[in-house]
């Protein structure tokens, strides 16, 4: 699979680095989970209704050793708007297969996404509803159970 398709599918390069994964597996999961810092930023604090809002998410291994974080499902990370995954109320099924997110020592992984300023609403039909003027919290997280690394920022739409 070409590199751009791997990156597009999960938002991260899905290349298998067996040595990094092997050494990273020696770090206990509770330590590995706490070692990953998450930050989320936008390019501005104020937007107009209908603006596209670029979101930058960074995951950083704060340790000087490689580590691997195991996730309970295939989802490795996620972003939210006011707590709604990918600005949607669509029900999601969690896969039973776990995932792995491997980091080199002190590695930073950066992902960009764009929120189009709309919410996806799914009931008897699917529709896209523009966000009303107001404040919205944009968050990002590492997709693990329990106390997971996360961050958020607030934007205003006028």
């Amino acid at each position: 699979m070409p590199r751009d398709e791997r990156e597009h599918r999960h938002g991260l390069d899905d290349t298998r680095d067996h040595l990094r994964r092997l050494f990273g597996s020696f770090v206990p999961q509770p330590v590995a989970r706490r070692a990953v810092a998450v930050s989320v930023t936008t390019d501005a604090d104020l937007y107009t209704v209908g603006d596209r809002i670029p979101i930058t998410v960074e995951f950083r291994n704060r340790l000087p050793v490689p580590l691997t974080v195991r996730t309970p499902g295939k989802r490795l990370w996620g972003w939210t708007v006011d707590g709604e995954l990918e600005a949607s109320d669509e029900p999601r099924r969690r896969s039973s297969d776990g995932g792995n997110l491997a980091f080199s020592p002190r590695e930073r992984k950066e992902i960009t996404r764009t929120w189009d300023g709309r919410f996806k609403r799914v009931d008897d039909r699917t529709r896209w509803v523009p966000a009303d003027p107001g404040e919205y919290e944009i968050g990002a997280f590492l997709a693990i159970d329990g106390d997971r690394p996360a961050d958020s920022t607030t934007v205003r739409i006028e």
Side-chain angles (χ1 to χ4, degrees), residues 106-118:
R106 304 222 187 269
E107 181 182 7
R108 296 172 185 265
K109 297 178 185 285
E110 187 175 282
I111 304 150
T112 56
R113 290 292 183 263
T114 302
W115 177 40
D116 64 4
R118 300 182 301 166

Side-chain angles (χ1 to χ4, degrees), residues 1 13 25 52 56 58 65 89-90 94 97 103-104 136:
M1 172 181 314
D13 185 359
S25 67
R52 298 176 63 79
T56 302
E58 181 185 88
V65 297
D89 67 357
E90 181 176 20
R94 185 156 109 180
D97 297 339
F103 289 87
S104 296
Y136 293 90

